[in-house]
Amino acid sequence: SIKKNQIEIKLKSNSIIKQKYQAPLRVDRSKVIVIDAGHGGKDPGAVGYKKYREKIVVLQIAKKLKKILRNRGYKVYMTRDSDKFIKLRNRTRFANKKKADLFISIHANSVAKKNAHRAHGIECYFLDKSRSSRAKKVAASENKADMKDMGFYGKTSFLNTLNSHNIVAANKLAIDLQRSALSALKKSFKGVKDAGVRQGPFWV
């Protein structure tokens, strides 16, 4: 997003006002964005309160995000726009075919029922080798629908080939997304928990 012009006003003893102007960041709206609504069809994803299914919730979010981004002038595509099952490898194949600059996969993570009353907040993941057992569990849950196509060792070998520059860029983007989401949510909800930015070996 474009940062608002920042004007810093300093009062000196001689009453001269000096202004420091910071120009807005330029945004390249020619970038291609692919939005991936997680799960779908035979794969419901997490099932939560009043049996809401993750596949339905994230699709609604994805459609709204697509509308917002297109209204801002970006080229936006969705891996699925209805309740249908798409293999993970076909989602990434679609993004590569569209020559996507950014791939956003939307999910709603699950927790054990006994901990549900304590679960609140948001977290953001980016693709990299996982360093925590929690991230590995989340990735394993999301990958299981298509894991037969690539075993654990195959995935590890692939992750070893990732460009470190892209990983750093993805990490920075995840931090920006997390901060922006927290800022927006805290305006309407109290006690929103920052679950942090994490890395995980996700297929997508």
Side-chain angles (χ1 to χ4, degrees), residues 125-143:
Y125 285 85
F126 65 96
L127 178 63
D128 195 6
K129 289 174 287 188
S130 177
R131 295 179 182 176
S132 73
S133 58
R134 176 180 173 182
K136 288 179 181 177
K137 288 179 180 178
V138 173
S141 176
E142 299 299 346
N143 293 333

Side-chain angles (χ1 to χ4, degrees), residues 13 16 59 72 80 87 120 125 129 143 150 163:
S13 57
I16 297 176
L59 180 59
R72 294 183 181 182
R80 70 179 182 95
K87 288 187 175 182
H120 63 282
Y125 285 85
K129 289 174 287 188
N143 293 333
M150 180 184 282
N163 186 302

Side-chain angles (χ1 to χ4, degrees), residues 59-152:
L59 180 59
Q60 294 173 341
I61 294 172
K63 286 181 176 180
K64 190 168 185 177
L65 177 60
K66 174 187 174 182
K67 184 177 180 180
I68 292 172
L69 291 174
R70 280 196 169 176
N71 286 340
R72 294 183 181 182
Y74 291 100
K75 296 178 182 177
V76 186
Y77 301 95
M78 291 176 61
T79 56
R80 70 179 182 95
D81 54 14
S82 61
D83 183 17
K84 58 185 177 182
F85 176 76
I86 300 176
K87 288 187 175 182
L88 299 179
R89 61 179 175 178
N90 291 337
R91 295 172 192 249
T92 53
R93 184 179 297 160
F94 175 82
N96 290 329
K97 184 177 180 180
K98 295 296 183 182
K99 297 182 179 180
D101 297 289
L102 182 63
F103 186 98
I104 303 173
S105 191
I106 303 173
H107 294 264
N109 291 346
S110 62
V111 295
K113 190 173 182 179
K114 63 180 180 180
N115 298 324
H117 66 286
R118 293 190 289 109
H120 63 282
I122 56 174
E123 57 190 353
C124 190
Y125 285 85
F126 65 96
L127 178 63
D128 195 6
K129 289 174 287 188
S130 177
R131 295 179 182 176
S132 73
S133 58
R134 176 180 173 182
K136 288 179 181 177
K137 288 179 180 178
V138 173
S141 176
E142 299 299 346
N143 293 333
K144 66 182 180 181
D146 222 16
M147 198 59 189
K148 63 182 180 180
D149 291 324
M150 180 184 282
F152 172 79

